C-alpha cells in the first residue's frame, strides 16, 4: 500500500497522527521558506506542507516536483493556521517527513480544473486527462450510482438480470446494423444488437417472468449531435401484465432513482397524457411540462377570414407568452426568421401584443390588424388566456406540422423566459401512440415503436382491415417515459400471438420469405405457449445526463465517440492489416 | 394483471382464499370425474383441480388444453386430501371456477423436465424451450445472484462500475480480434475488445482508483469445447496497491461469494502457492488441491541406472496412488495407453505395486524389475510415501513436459478414485509466474499473461538484459485465482512507466512503428502521471458453472453458441444482403 488514507479522509480528529497519502499534485505554492502542495485524488484534496525544518531529502525531492506528478508522502496531521472551510480537509495539513515520486508528468495539454481551457477535440484526444476533472469524476460516479440503484431496486422486485448475446443475426428494421464478419463461416456475418428486444421476448416465452439488463446497444446511424454509435439501455420485460402493471412497476423504479440518487421526492402517480393530447397541448410527443404555455386551437375562430393564409390552413394555433408584450419589432422579426429556419420550416409567425391602457381598456396590436378586428383578437386572447402584458404567437398550416412547429416555438420561448430550470424535474408518461407511420417516399408503413408492439385491443378490427385509412388510426399499446422534454424511456405491450405477429410483418410490407429468413425463431417461439408480456427500455446515458444536470451525454460516458463515430484517443476505427482481412475473406 | 399469486406462493395459510394464477401446463391427469392440472411458472408448481361440480365452461375449456399451454385460472385454495410434502405448494390445490387460454402450444420437440429427452442440437435450436427446464432456470438465477452479490460487495468497498467501449481499435496480441467494418469511414474497422485491459489502466491514470465492470469480451479463436466467442468477465483494477493488497481485496470478494451464494464458509487466508511449487508438486499451474497425491522427484534416485529411459531423462517423477495396488495388468496397460495419447504425449508409464506380505515384509512388483532392485524400489516408496496397497506411477522425459503429464495423470487418478467431489471447494492463489514464454516456431517471446504485466521488482536487471536466458528467468508480478483445478481469475501488478512498457514491447519483438500505431495512447498516457496499479479479471461464466456444480458453461449462458461459433436458434452468423455489403464497402 502506498497510502494509509485517501486525500478526502483527514480532518481535525486525525491531528497528531502519522499518515501516508498518495495522489496527483494539483498545485505547488512557495511562501517564504514554506512550500504548500495540494495533493489530489478522487476523494478530495489535502494540503501538504514543507518548511525549513523538514528533512533535507524532502526538500531535495521538492525541487523536482511538478503539476500532475504522482507522489506518495508521509507526515504528521497538524491543524492549519489559515483554514479553508469550503473543503472537508480544510482544517488540517500534513507536515511532510518523507516524499517519493511514483510517476512524473509532462505539462498537461490543458488545465485539469473544474473548467478546462482545452477545446473539445484536444480533450477527447487526452480523454484520460479530461476524466481527471471534477465534473467528469462526478458524472462517472453518478452513473455508477444510477446503475447500482437500478439493479438493487429491480433485484428486490424479483427481476433477474440476464445477459443476452452481442453476436447475433442481422435483421435491420429502421436503423442500420453494425456487422461482424465471421472468420470460421466465411461470407457470413454476425450483427451487433440494436436492442435485446427479441431476446427479452424469448426469455418471457421461457418463463423468466421479470427480466432486466443494463446493456450496450449499437446503431450504425448517421450521427446527429449527441448520438453515439454504442449506447446503454436499462432493458426490462415482464410477463402476465397489462399496460398499467408495467407503468406501476417502472414508476416505482423512477421514483426510487429520484429519491436515492437526487434525494428528490416526486409526487406520485406521475401525470399520464395520451399522445393525441400531448400533440394538441404541447405540440410534442415528449412534452416539457415544467411550464404551461399550452397550445390553443384558433382554427374555429379563423375559418371565416379574408386572411387567406389562415383560411386555407388545416390548423391555426397559438401560444400565449406571459409578460412578453414588450418584445420589440426587431425581436419579433428575429423570432419569425427563427421559425422559418429549415429545422422548423414554418411559413411565418403572427403576433398579438396585449396591453391594458391607462383607462383600463385592453388593446391588441397585431401583425394582422388588416384582417382581424378588435373583437376577433379579443376572442383569441380569451381562448389563449392572454392578459395585460402578454404576447400571443400564432402559426398556421398543415395540422401536424404546425402543432410540432408551435411545440418547438413553445420550448424556445420557455428557454428565453428561463422557465426550464434544469434542477426542476417534471416526469410523466405519454401513451396511446399511433401504431404505424406512413412513409410517402417508400410508400409503406413503418412501425412507430417497433414491429413487436401490440395494437390496442379495441383497435384490432382496424388492424386487420385492408384500408390504409383504418391502419393509420390504429393505436399502439405503447408508452413513453418523458422527463423535461426528453424521451427517456419507451415501451409497449407486445404481440404474443404468431398470427398477429405475421399480420404485423405483412402490414410493414415484408414478404413471407423475408419474415422467415429474419424472424422465424420468434414466430416459431410464439407457437409453444407465449405469455402476454410487455416491457420498457430506458436510455441510460440520457437519463444520467438529465440527473447530472448536463446537456451532453458524452460527459457521462467514460470513453465516448465524436460525431463522426470516431474515438480520437484510440484513433479508431482504423485500418487493419492485410493478413487479418485475408483471414476474414475481406481482401 | 393475469394473476394474484405465483405458482410457488400458496400454502395452507391461504386456504379459503380466492386466487388467480397464470402459467404453463406441466401435465394434466384425469382420475374418475376429476381432472388435475399441474400449473408451472419459475416460482413453482401448483395443482389445479376440476370436478363434476365445477362450472360447465371450465369443463369445456378443459377439453381443449394441452402440455405447455399458457392459461390463467381463478379458483379457491383448498387443502389437498393427498399431500405432496416435497414441494412448498404440496398441501393445497386450487378448485377452479374459471379458466382462460392465453396461448396455445404445439407439442414441444422434447420433454421440458429436470432431464430432457432432447439431444443437444435440438435443444439449442429451441433454446427458449430448453430454458424452461428447472436446471437451466436455476443456472440463470444463480448467475443473476453471483452478479448481484459481486456488484454489491465491490460497491460497498468503494469500487465504481465504469462501462468501457465495445467499438475499439484492433490491437491483436495472442488471440484474434473480431472486427466491425465502419460505414462512415470506409476501409476502416473497429474491433471488439478481448478485454477492457487498456481502458481500465487508463481509468487508473484518470484517478478512478477502484474500478470494476462485469463485461462482455470477445475472442475470435478456433473454439475448443466449452469456449465461447463472447464471454463475460468480472474485470477489476486498483491504484496505489501492491500484490498483497490486490489479493486481500479480492479474497474478500471470493469469500463473500462463497458465503452469500453457496452458504459456504471458506477458511481464510486462502493457500498461496508459487507457480514453481505448483508445477513441481501438482504438475499444473492450476492445481486441484482437493486431494493430495503430490508429484515426487525421483531424478536423484534414478540417475545412475542401466535403464536408459530414466538415465537420459531430464526428469523422473512419480505419484503415489493410495490403495491402487490392486490395479490389474490390464488396467495398467490401459492407463499406459491413456498417457500415450497425443493430448498427453508421454512415452510410457512405469508402475510399482506395493504390498505387505503375511510375514509383514513389504514387497514391490514393478514393470522395471529388470533394472531396479528391491532397495531402489524401497527408496522410491520412501520418497513417495507409498505403503501397503499403494501404487506408484512413474513418468520420465523432458522436465516441464513430464511434470505436466504427471499432473494430468494425477487428475485422472483423482477422478477414478472419486477424490474430486464437485460439492467440495478448494480455492487458492498461484503466483510468481514466468513473465515470458519463448516460442520455438516464431522464434520470439510471448507474454505469458499479457504485455502490460510488470516484472517482479527483484528481476528488473534480468528484464533489461539482452540475454534470452536471463529473460526466460524473469518472474511476473502476476497471480491466478484457482478453484478445483480451474483457473477462474488472473491478474497482475501492471507496468506504469512508459520506458518499461516500451522495453516490454521490444522484448516481444514489436517494432517502434507497430507500437506507435497500436499503443501510442497508453504509452502517452503513462507520461502524464500514472499511479502504480494492478488488478484481476475473473471468468464469470466459468465461475458460475463451478458454483452451480456443472461441467458446462453453456448452461449458465442464456443464449450460448455452439463449438462452431454458431447460434443455432437464430441461425447466425448468416449472409447479409448486397445493399448492406455495398454500404460497408465490402462488395
Amino acid at each position: 500500500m502506498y497510502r494509509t488514507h485517501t486525500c478526502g479522509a483527514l480532518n481535525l480528529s486525525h491531528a497528531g497522527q502519522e499518515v501516508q497519502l498518495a495522489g496527483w499534485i494539483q498545485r505547488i505554492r512557495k511562501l517564504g521558506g514554506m512550500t504548500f502542495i495540494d495533493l489530489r485524488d478522487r476523494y478530495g484534496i489535502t494540503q501538504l506542507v514543507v518548511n525549513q525544518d523538514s528533512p533535507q531529502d524532502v526538500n531535495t525531492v521538492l525541487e523536482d516536483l511538478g503539476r500532475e506528478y504522482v507522489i506518495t508522502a508521509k507526515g504528521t496531521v497538524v491543524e492549519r493556521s489559515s483554514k479553508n472551510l469550503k473543503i472537508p480537509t480544510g482544517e488540517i495539513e500534513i507536515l511532510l517527513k518523507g516524499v517519493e515520486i511514483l510517476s512524473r508528468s509532462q505539462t498537461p495539454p490543458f488545465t485539469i480544473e473544474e473548467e478546462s481551457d482545452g477545446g473539445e477535440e484536444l480533450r477527447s484526444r487526452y480523454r484520460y486527462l479530461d476524466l481527471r476533472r471534477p465534473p467528469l469524476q462526478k458524472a462517472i460516479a453518478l452513473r455508477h450510482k444510477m446503475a447500482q440503484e437500478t439493479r438493487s431496486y429491480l433485484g428486490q422486485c424479483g427481476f433477474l438480470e440476464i445477459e443476452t448475446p452481442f453476436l447475433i443475426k442481422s435483421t435491420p428494421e429502421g436503423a442500420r446494423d453494425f456487422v461482424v464478419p465471421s472468420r470460421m463461416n466465411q461470407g457470413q456475418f454476425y450483427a451487433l444488437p440494436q436492442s435485446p428486444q427479441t431476446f427479452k421476448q424469448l426469455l418471457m416465452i421461457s418463463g423468466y417472468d421479470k427480466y432486466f439488463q443494463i446493456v450496450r446497444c449499437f446503431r450504425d446511424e448517421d450521427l446527429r449531435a449527441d448520438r453515439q454509435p454504442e449506447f446503454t439501455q436499462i432493458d426490462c420485460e415482464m410477463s402476465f401484465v397489462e399496460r398499467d402493471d408495467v407503468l406501476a412497476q417502472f414508476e416505482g423504479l423512477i421514483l426510487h432513482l429520484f429519491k436515492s440518487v437526487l434525494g428528490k421526492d416526486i409526487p406520485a402517480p406521475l401525470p399520464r397524457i395520451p399522445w393525441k393530447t400531448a400533440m394538441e397541448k404541447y405540440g410534442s410527443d415528449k412534452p416539457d411540462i415544467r411550464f404551461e404555455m399550452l397550445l390553443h386551437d384558433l382554427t374555429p375562430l379563423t375559418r371565416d377570414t379574408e386572411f387567406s393564409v389562415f383560411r386555407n390552413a388545416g390548423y391555426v394555433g397559438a401560444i400565449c407568452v406571459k409578460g412578453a408584450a414588450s418584445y420589440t419589432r426587431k425581436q419579433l422579426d428575429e423570432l419569425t426568421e427563427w421559425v422559418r429556419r429549415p429545422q422548423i420550416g414554418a411559413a411565418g409567425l403572427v403576433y398579438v401584443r396585449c396591453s391594458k391602457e391607462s383607462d383600463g381598456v385592453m388593446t391588441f396590436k397585431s401583425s394582422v390588424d388588416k384582417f382581424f378586428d378588435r373583437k376577433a383578437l379579443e376572442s383569441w386572447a380569451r381562448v389563449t388566456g392572454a392578459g395585460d402584458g402578454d404576447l400571443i404567437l400564432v402559426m398556421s398550416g398543415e395540422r401536424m406540422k404546425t402543432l410540432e412547429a408551435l411545440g418547438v416555438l413553445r420550448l424556445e420561448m420557455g428557454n428565453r423566459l428561463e422557465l426550464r430550470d434544469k434542477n426542476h424535474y417534471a416526469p410523466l408518461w405519454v401513451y396511446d401512440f399511433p401504431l404505424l407511420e406512413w412513409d410517402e417516399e417508400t410508400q409503406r408503413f413503418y412501425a412507430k415503436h417497433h414491429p413487436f408492439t401490440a395494437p390496442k385491443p379495441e383497435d384490432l378490427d382496424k388492424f386487420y382491415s385492408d384500408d390504409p385509412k383504418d391502419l393509420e388510426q390504429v393505436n399502439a399499446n405503447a408508452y413513453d417515459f418523458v422527463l423535461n422534454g426528453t424521451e427517456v424511456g419507451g415501451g409497449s405491450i407486445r404481440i404474443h400471438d404468431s398470427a398477429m405477429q405475421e399480420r404485423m410483418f405483412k402490414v410493414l410490407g415484408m414478404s413471407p420469405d423475408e419474415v422467415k429468413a429474419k424472424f422465424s425463431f420468434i414466430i416459431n417461439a410464439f407457437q409453444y405457449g407465449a405469455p402476454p408480456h410487455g416491457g420498457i427500455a430506458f436510455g441510460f446515458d440520457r437519463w444520467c445526463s438529465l440527473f447530472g444536470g448536463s446537456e451532453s451525454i458524452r460527459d457521462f460516458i467514460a470513453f465516448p465517440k465524436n460525431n463522426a463515430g470516431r474515438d480520437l484517443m484510440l484513433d479508431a476505427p482504423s485500418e487493419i492489416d492485410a493478413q487479418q482481412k485475408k483471414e476474414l475473406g475481406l481482401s
Side-chain angles (χ1 to χ4, degrees), chain A:
Chain A
M1 268 294 184
Y2 293 85
R3 60 185 177 191
T4 56
H5 295 79
T6 68
C7 296
L10 298 169
N11 54 46
L12 266 185
S13 75
H14 301 88
Q17 285 188 23
E18 300 297 307
V19 299
Q20 183 176 10
L21 299 182
W24 286 258
I25 294 178
Q26 181 74 21
R27 60 176 189 153
I28 304 178
R29 281 161 301 149
K30 305 208 178 210
L31 266 179
M34 314 268 280
T35 304
F36 297 94
I37 299 170
D38 279 352
L39 192 67
R40 184 196 74 227
D41 64 17
R42 75 165 157 110
Y43 307 92
I45 285 179
T46 299
Q47 181 166 293
L48 315 179
V49 60
V50 182
N51 59 32
Q52 280 117 331
D53 300 332
S54 303
Q56 183 52 47
D57 54 338
V58 171
N59 273 293
T60 308
V61 172
L62 213 59
E63 296 308 310
D64 200 19
L65 296 180
R67 194 148 64 88
E68 299 304 319
Y69 274 45
V70 180
I71 60 168
T72 179
K74 287 180 186 179
T76 315
V77 182
V78 297
E79 185 166 1
R80 272 202 219 179
S81 50
S82 116
K83 295 183 181 176
N84 174 359
L85 297 178
K86 285 184 200 152
I87 58 172
T89 60
E91 293 190 90
I92 56 98
E93 60 195 6
I94 313 297
L95 194 57
L96 283 204
K97 294 189 170 163
V99 63
E100 188 191 334
I101 296 176
L102 298 174
S103 181
R104 287 162 205 279
S105 177
Q106 295 183 19
T107 305
F110 48 84
T111 54
I112 297 173
E113 306 272 357
E114 190 75 23
E115 298 282 336
S116 174
D117 60 359
E120 181 154 354
E121 182 170 330
L122 189 66
R123 286 186 288 112
S124 299
R125 283 186 198 284
Y126 294 88
R127 182 70 177 176
Y128 44 87
L129 297 182
D130 205 22
L131 280 168
R132 287 182 188 169
R133 292 172 49 233
L136 274 88
Q137 298 234 339
K138 271 189 213 115
I140 298 297
L142 177 114
R143 186 181 177 109
H144 162 77
K145 174 90 173 154
M146 289 279 287
Q148 197 180 39
E149 290 294 341
T150 299
R151 287 190 162 106
S152 77
Y153 181 85
L154 292 176
Q156 274 161 28
C157 293
F159 283 76
L160 296 178
E161 184 159 22
I162 303 176
E163 295 174 58
T164 53
F166 283 136
L167 296 173
I168 66 164
K169 188 186 175 104
S170 185
T171 55
E173 165 71 10
R176 290 184 189 84
D177 286 332
F178 283 106
V179 299
V180 181
S182 166
R183 182 176 55 84
M184 295 213 282
N185 306 274
Q186 293 223 345
Q188 299 192 334
F189 294 79
Y190 300 100
L192 300 178
Q194 296 189 26
S195 89
Q197 182 63 33
T198 50
F199 293 101
K200 66 178 175 177
Q201 294 193 245
L202 291 174
L203 287 171
M204 294 305 109
I205 293 169
S206 299
Y208 289 84
D209 193 59
K210 288 179 174 182
Y211 143 94
F212 84 103
Q213 192 182 186
I214 301 184
V215 62
R216 202 71 52 83
C217 303
F218 304 86
R219 272 180 214 172
D220 186 10
E221 289 177 301
D222 299 316
L223 298 171
R224 280 181 273 155
D226 229 18
R227 280 265 187 132
Q228 292 280 317
E230 49 176 317
F231 56 97
T232 301
Q233 271 184 200
I234 307 173
D235 192 52
C236 311
E237 198 80 3
M238 302 172 76
S239 290
F240 302 117
V241 288
E242 293 167 299
R243 184 194 70 197
D244 287 357
D245 304 315
V246 179
L247 297 191
Q249 176 67 64
F250 294 101
E251 195 158 310
L253 171 66
I254 291 161
L255 297 179
H256 175 77
L257 289 179
F258 268 108
K259 182 70 182 172
S260 59
V261 177
L262 295 183
K264 283 190 189 285
D265 288 297
I266 300 288
L270 300 185
R272 295 185 185 181
I273 303 182
W275 173 82
K276 194 163 167 285
T277 308
M279 293 309 299
E280 287 171 354
K281 293 289 170 198
Y282 298 94
S284 172
D285 56 3
K286 38 182 192 285
D288 184 346
I289 61 169
R290 281 175 294 185
F291 64 108
E292 282 276 320
M293 208 191 285
L294 300 184
L295 278 54
H296 299 278
D297 188 355
L298 300 187
T299 320
L301 302 179
T302 55
R303 201 163 277 148
D304 306 315
T305 169
E306 285 171 38
F307 187 44
S308 65
V309 174
F310 281 9
R311 196 178 60 234
N312 300 329
Y315 171 84
V316 180
I319 56 174
C320 164
V321 189
K322 291 280 169 196
S326 56
Y327 257 51
T328 63
R329 180 59 192 258
K330 197 180 157 205
Q331 283 176 304
L332 289 163
D333 285 349
E334 180 259 323
L335 210 53
T336 306
E337 283 315 302
W338 190 86
V339 301
R340 280 183 173 147
R341 293 178 317 147
Q343 295 94 315
I344 306 178
L349 186 62
V350 166
Y351 66 83
V352 184
R353 292 199 196 94
C354 310
S355 56
K356 198 175 269 181
E357 296 299 307
S358 52
D359 56 6
V361 176
M362 285 289 289
T363 64
F364 304 98
K365 289 193 185 148
S366 87
S367 52
V368 285
D369 281 349
K370 248 199 287 185
F371 301 104
F372 296 97
D373 59 14
R374 182 194 155 76
K375 204 182 141 197
L377 297 177
E378 205 166 27
S379 72
W380 297 7
R382 201 165 47 243
V383 166
T384 60
D388 181 30
D390 297 344
L391 175 70
I392 304 173
L393 296 173
V394 189
M395 293 170 88
S396 65
E398 189 273 316
R399 182 180 152 82
M400 199 50 71
K401 261 194 74 171
T402 307
L403 285 170
E404 286 174 1
L406 264 174
V408 177
L409 179 63
R410 174 181 173 272
L411 292 181
E412 174 66 14
M413 297 314 293
N415 285 337
R416 293 186 185 202
L417 271 61
E418 299 183 349
L419 301 173
R420 306 181 72 195
D421 175 5
K422 68 176 184 174
N423 295 312
H424 175 71
Y425 293 93
L428 74 151
W429 296 104
V430 177
Y431 64 99
D432 279 2
F433 289 79
L435 183 71
L436 301 162
E437 277 181 320
W438 180 258
D439 182 60
E440 279 301 328
E441 198 183 322
T442 52
Q443 287 287 301
R444 50 160 280 203
F445 280 112
Y446 283 85
K448 186 154 170 79
H449 191 53
H450 57 53
F452 306 102
T453 298
K456 293 208 81 176
E458 56 268 37
D459 291 345
L460 280 182
D461 283 351
K462 285 180 193 153
F463 179 64
Y464 284 98
S465 158
D466 287 330
D467 185 347
K469 289 259 174 300
D470 285 335
L471 284 167
E472 258 180 347
Q473 285 175 42
V474 177
N475 274 335
N477 205 347
Y479 33 80
D480 277 357
F481 169 58
V482 173
L483 180 58
N484 292 5
T486 299
E487 180 209 321
V488 173
S492 62
I493 297 299
R494 324 298 184 184
I495 296 170
H496 70 280
D497 174 86
S498 55
M500 194 186 290
Q501 188 63 63
E502 286 183 293
R503 167 66 187 168
M504 184 67 179
F505 286 135
K506 192 179 166 204
V507 167
L508 297 176
M510 290 172 69
S511 72
D513 281 353
E514 192 181 353
V515 170
K516 200 179 164 203
K518 287 183 176 174
F519 294 111
S520 60
F521 63 97
I522 187 111
I523 299 265
N524 285 344
F526 283 149
Q527 289 167 2
Y528 292 95
H533 61 286
I536 193 165
F538 298 94
F540 188 59
D541 308 298
R542 175 59 63 201
W543 199 348
C544 289
S545 79
L546 286 169
F547 269 29
S550 169
E551 295 287 304
S552 164
I553 62 168
R554 279 184 219 168
D555 290 350
F556 294 80
I557 298 172
F559 299 99
K561 293 179 178 60
N562 74 4
N563 278 348
R566 292 200 72 83
D567 185 319
L568 293 177
M569 177 188 72
L570 298 179
D571 189 26
S574 62
E575 281 168 30
I576 57 175
D577 65 34
Q579 174 64 19
Q580 231 175 326
K581 275 194 198 165
K582 198 179 154 198
E583 283 188 352
L584 293 167
L586 296 179
S587 54

